Amino acid sequence: MQISVPVTKTGEQKADGKKHPVFPVGHLWPFVLVTVLFFLWGMSNNLTDILVQQFRKSFELSQFSAQLVQTANFFGYFCLAIPAALVMRRWGYKTGMVLGLVLFGTGMILFWPAAASGQYAPFLVALFTVGGGASILETAANPFIAQFGDPATSEQRLNFSQAFNPPGTITGVIIGTYFIFSGVEKTSTQVAAMKAAGTYHAYLHTELLRVVPTYLTFGAIVLLCALILGMTKFPVITSEHEGEGEDHGSFAELARQPLIWIAVAANFCNVGAQISSWSMLIPYMKQYTVVSERTAAHYLTAVLISMAVGRFVSTPLMRYIRPSLMLAFYGVFNTVLMMMAALRPGMMGAWAVVASGFFISVMYPTIFALGLKGLGRNTKLGGSLLVMAIVGGAIFPPVGGLIAKHTGGWALGYLVPMVGFAGVAVYGFFQARQRTLLSGPAY
């Protein structure tokens, strides 16, 4: 039997004057299972930052070509988000999450034949598959969590679940640092000697094979999660008419709601800025400091720890500070930090990127929750558009790579995320003004 979770109108006040609950009363087990998914795709997303450097070495790629790792992964988000929404509109959130997990795990297992081929292109296909699976997961999980409880606390609830994404990203980077990076970095003299001896290509292939055990193990875990999720009974969000023959909204209706499109643009800027700032950090530190690959990866871990701290600190503050205003000021702070990374290359710039993690923390879930406000039966389709905006992570990193290629340095590449975070700040101030003009509750 399906369980119905009634969803009231946004901003509706309780008649007894009690505080609005953040978590869904009586349905914590499905809530916990879906929250685990945020951890899983967090692990995957930041393993790609490790792959950028590993593939650049293993395939002897240019700065631009190495950043295609991010393009393949996040282009999958763009391509699969709307099909995911159409599937969920017909069969519900649970089906979307199980389908996403299956595709996600399959993409990871494809790393095995990709490594056997010894070619770069099959890895990009595998990463596209992983990104497509993650796209379906996010299209399902984000709006499900936002609607799974009192609508007045949707931002807080989604920020709570998203708070488990940074621990996943931290775990992914740590695993990549010690199981993918070998810690062996050849000097130019050693490389020349190995080439002369005919052993260099064998060394590169050995480095390439280091990605296989990590991704095979991860893929098996993801497929096991798909099995567990498939066997769990899930509640139905009644406002979304899941499992019924009623209308589910349309893109034509969304086209007449400009606020969702502004949110999509903001999320495009946010994800593009976030991914590009992270994917450039290791080569940035390799160029402007004397640290090793593994030490540079530790700084990437520090960014993600900073993000986790920011999520856990900032989410409770949303009871007292409008999320839209917090988003605006965090966008301003990160714009300044990216400018510092661009103009002060070296350890100061690296620490500026680390500090930016704190302010990145609430951006994605807050933009997502604000964008879904008031969409009603169009929530699934609106959520798919917000997930499609993750394609910013496919576009910003190669632009940074092109700047690095033409300027000879990674520093000015940080102007790319600077522009993205400025866009987030503008969106935050816009939303804060909208809510003030509407004289509605403090979102």
Side-chain angles (χ1 to χ4, degrees), residues 171-406:
T171 303
V173 170
I174 291 174
I175 289 172
T177 300
Y178 290 100
F179 290 93
I180 294 179
F181 283 164
S182 65
V184 178
E185 299 180 54
K186 303 292 185 182
T187 64
S188 56
T189 302
Q190 290 173 320
V191 169
M194 292 179 74
K195 286 182 177 179
T199 59
Y200 188 57
H201 286 296
Y203 159 72
L204 292 182
H205 190 64
T206 300
E207 288 289 300
L208 179 63
L209 290 176
R210 292 183 65 87
V211 306
V212 175
T214 296
Y215 272 83
L216 281 180
T217 302
F218 196 9
I221 292 171
V222 168
L223 292 176
L224 177 61
C225 288
L227 179 62
I228 294 171
L229 204 68
M231 297 172 64
T232 302
K233 290 183 178 180
F234 263 58
V236 172
I237 308 297
T238 56
S239 68
E240 285 295 291
H241 313 298
E242 291 186 0
E244 301 176 14
E246 300 178 37
D247 182 30
H248 300 277
S250 67
F251 285 108
E253 291 180 10
L254 281 179
R256 297 191 293 271
Q257 300 189 48
L259 293 182
I260 181 62
W261 298 101
I262 297 172
V264 167
N267 212 28
F268 176 87
C269 291
N270 166 53
V271 177
Q274 174 180 314
I275 299 303
S276 59
S277 69
W278 293 348
S279 65
M280 291 190 293
L281 181 58
I282 294 176
Y284 174 90
M285 294 193 71
K286 288 287 292 175
Q287 180 173 11
Y288 298 111
T289 70
V290 294
V291 303
S292 66
E293 281 179 348
R294 282 188 170 178
T295 301
H298 290 153
Y299 276 80
L300 181 58
T301 303
V303 177
L304 302 173
I305 292 172
S306 175
M307 182 177 174
V309 171
R311 187 70 58 78
F312 282 107
V313 169
S314 303
T315 299
L317 292 178
M318 288 184 174
R319 288 186 176 271
Y320 312 102
I321 303 171
R322 285 190 176 190
S324 52
L325 274 179
M326 183 181 288
L327 179 68
F329 285 110
Y330 279 18
V332 170
F333 296 151
N334 269 356
T335 300
V336 173
L337 289 170
M338 293 301 105
M339 185 181 298
M340 187 181 299
L343 301 181
R344 291 285 192 152
M347 292 307 299
M348 181 178 291
W351 280 110
V353 177
V354 170
S356 72
F358 183 94
F359 304 108
I360 288 172
S361 60
V362 302
M363 289 184 176
Y364 184 87
T366 303
I367 292 170
F368 208 100
L370 290 171
L372 293 181
K373 287 287 186 183
L375 292 186
R377 63 185 183 179
N378 288 299
T379 299
K380 288 191 182 75
L381 297 180
S384 72
L385 295 178
L386 288 166
V387 171
M388 283 182 68
I390 292 175
V391 76
I395 295 172
F396 278 51
V399 174
L402 280 175
I403 292 174
K405 179 180 178 180
H406 290 293

Side-chain angles (χ1 to χ4, degrees), residues 5 8 57 104 196:
V5 177
T8 55
K57 177 168 66 174
F104 191 35

Side-chain angles (χ1 to χ4, degrees), residues 38-89:
F38 290 81
F39 181 90
L40 288 178
W41 77 62
M43 284 184 64
S44 169
N45 282 348
N46 282 88
L47 270 172
T48 58
D49 298 320
I50 298 294
L51 291 180
V52 167
Q53 183 66 17
Q54 187 72 356
F55 286 166
R56 186 182 175 198
K57 177 168 66 174
S58 300
F59 292 112
E60 299 181 280
L61 302 173
S62 68
Q63 294 98 321
F64 173 78
S65 296
Q67 293 294 341
L68 292 179
V69 166
Q70 305 289 18
T71 300
N73 184 48
F74 290 100
F75 191 62
Y77 277 85
F78 179 79
C79 293
L80 272 292
I82 286 181
L86 296 176
V87 167
M88 289 183 294
R89 191 170 65 168

